[in-house]
Amino acid sequence: MRFLAITLIVHRPDPATGVPKPTHARFREVLGNALLAEELGFDGFGVGERHERPFLSSAPTVVLSHIAALTRRIRLFTAVTTLSLLDPVRAYEDYATLDHLSGGRLELIIGKGNGTAQRELFHVTPEEQWDRNAESYEVFRKLWRQDKVTARTRFRPELTDAEVWPRPYQRPVRVWHGSATSEESVELAARYGDPLFSANVTHPIEPYAALIRHYRERWAHHGHDPAALAVGAGTAGVYVARTSQEALAAYRPVFESNLAFQKQTGLPVVFETLEDFVARSSALIGSPQQVIDKVHRYHEQFGHTVLHLHADASGLPDAAHRASLELFQSAVAPVLRRDIPDPPFAWAPVHPETTEAARA
């Protein structure tokens, strides 16, 4: 099993002070978390893309490029690239550049994106958002694979023998499809034989498990090799401590702060208590053995081989956050790596020379 640390760069008031950190400090915190993830042995670090309050993740390529310069090993993920809002040509240029700057450590998780405000900012209607996402991905995919591209499009000017630079470092880049609530993203992933990444953070397991089962069915329908299928899954929160009592006590202020924020902003409340949150959500809060057992229970439903954790302290003291991640990596990750297989592809850049040799 492989492990990612992911941030959406949420910019909310600090639970202790009631005041948000300065924007500059919040970005520095993200860079520090990326360095910590590499230091502790995480396999990937992801940065989301949102274009509305309370997120600072409107430019993931810029953030990931900076992280690429600071790190050497860890793979760099988008979580998710909102292709329904973007011009696929411009998105390709940005990500192909990042691919080179990172030495081929880029992986994409794409999706239509959530949020009314960001959709209105880009003048995208709910009715056309899925079609935009599919069209943008089809163009993006061609641009990454072909030196000259012709594409008949609805949502941007058509392309005729278009050359777009730079040509990529990885050929091709791996693209995951983010899945939360709709079969549209599942179908797109299955059609192209791409891996699926289940959000798995807002609700209990059942709706996510149903979408993953549908993905497997559609994968088979499109004639892909069952052995090549890969699924990733998210977590709603993480805090690993020596005992469950310690973990619950440390995480309770974080949960209560999140609950108050949900109620204040009118977001739906799914879990009213910390105990219910720990029991029925995907949150990994407890002793090492409790966390191991919970991941195994989810794996029985998902068959996932990649797991993401929150990179941010999210209101925890920095020392406590680091101690939790250290305990996860020392006491939880080795067991899960032993018990659950890796995804069915190399966790490494697809080097141009390798691809050229295969073509010869």
Side-chain angles (χ1 to χ4, degrees):
M1 183 170 240
R2 297 286 181 162
F3 302 99
L4 316 181
I6 284 181
T7 178
L8 299 181
I9 321 185
V10 178
H11 195 221
R12 285 169 43 192
D14 184 280
T17 66
V19 178
K21 293 181 179 180
T23 299
H24 174 76
R26 184 68 182 95
F27 279 122
R28 301 305 301 181
E29 186 176 54
V30 170
L31 300 180
N33 287 337
L35 288 169
L36 176 63
E38 178 160 272
E39 175 191 337
L40 295 181
F42 279 85
D43 301 291
F45 189 87
V47 174
E49 180 181 343
R50 296 293 289 268
H51 299 269
E52 60 185 345
R53 189 189 299 267
F55 304 96
L56 301 178
S57 50
S58 59
T61 49
V62 178
V63 179
L64 287 170
S65 290
H66 197 140
I67 292 171
L70 298 175
T71 57
R72 292 294 176 266
R73 174 195 58 79
I74 201 165
R75 291 191 68 75
L76 307 174
F77 282 73
T78 64
V80 301
T81 295
T82 53
L83 280 182
S84 67
L85 307 179
L86 306 177
D87 183 317
V89 175
R90 193 68 188 91
Y92 164 82
E93 292 172 333
D94 285 345
Y95 283 111
T97 300
L98 171 56
D99 192 39
H100 279 281
L101 293 175
S102 67
R105 288 186 283 144
L106 173 65
E107 297 204 23
L108 290 152
I109 306 175
I110 68 163
K112 74 169 181 60
N114 295 313
T116 301
Q118 66 177 6
R119 189 173 61 237
E120 292 175 349
L121 182 66
F122 288 89
H123 295 277
V124 174
T125 68
E127 294 75 22
E128 69 186 22
Q129 201 165 7
W130 281 116
D131 290 339
R132 282 180 173 271
N133 182 65
E135 178 182 289
S136 291
Y137 178 54
E138 288 162 5
V139 173
F140 184 94
R141 182 183 175 89
K142 284 183 178 181
L143 290 169
W144 206 281
R145 286 165 168 77
Q146 301 174 18
D147 292 337
K148 292 185 178 181
V149 171
T150 296
R152 303 291 168 250
T153 51
R154 288 175 55 199
F155 301 109
R156 59 148 287 118
E158 295 184 351
L159 300 174
T160 303
D161 289 333
E163 296 183 72
V164 186
W165 299 90
R167 300 311 302 147
Y169 183 82
Q170 295 184 97
R171 301 193 181 195
V173 70
R174 183 172 300 113
V175 177
W176 301 70
H177 295 251
S179 166
T181 59
S182 172
E183 292 183 353
E184 297 276 357
S185 56
V186 168
E187 173 61 30
L188 193 63
R191 184 192 318 161
Y192 284 106
D194 294 330
L196 187 76
F197 214 108
S198 173
N200 189 39
V201 296
T202 306
H203 300 284
I205 188 174
E206 289 77 15
Y208 304 111
L211 283 172
I212 292 172
R213 287 194 297 271
H214 183 68
Y215 169 62
R216 293 179 182 277
E217 293 168 1
R218 298 305 296 169
W219 180 278
H221 170 81
H222 289 290
H224 302 302
D225 180 0
L229 183 148
V231 173
T235 53
V238 59
Y239 192 79
V240 189
R242 188 174 57 86
T243 67
S244 60
Q245 292 83 359
E246 291 176 29
L248 288 170
Y251 200 83
R252 192 172 299 278
V254 176
F255 174 81
E256 291 175 350
S257 173
N258 290 338
L259 182 64
F261 178 78
Q262 290 170 347
K263 292 180 177 179
Q264 176 187 351
T265 56
L267 294 171
V269 174
V270 179
F271 307 102
E272 290 279 1
T273 68
L274 174 60
E275 288 71 20
D276 188 37
F277 180 65
V278 173
R280 294 196 303 124
S281 84
S282 60
L284 302 177
I285 299 166
S287 68
Q289 190 59 53
Q290 287 174 316
V291 170
I292 290 167
D293 291 344
K294 190 168 189 177
V295 174
H296 273 294
R297 290 197 301 273
Y298 271 63
H299 179 70
E300 290 174 2
Q301 295 289 321
F302 290 174
H304 60 309
T305 53
V306 179
L307 178 72
H308 92 49
L309 306 179
H310 289 209
D312 298 314
S314 304
L316 290 165
D318 289 342
H321 176 58
R322 180 184 179 110
S324 169
L325 294 182
E326 287 178 340
L327 187 56
F328 179 91
Q329 286 288 29
S330 64
V332 176
V335 177
L336 295 178
R337 290 187 194 276
R338 182 196 68 203
D339 294 348
I340 298 174
D342 282 350
F345 38 71
W347 198 265
V350 181
H351 290 292
E353 57 267 24
T354 303
T355 306
E356 292 302 325
R359 288 174 179 166

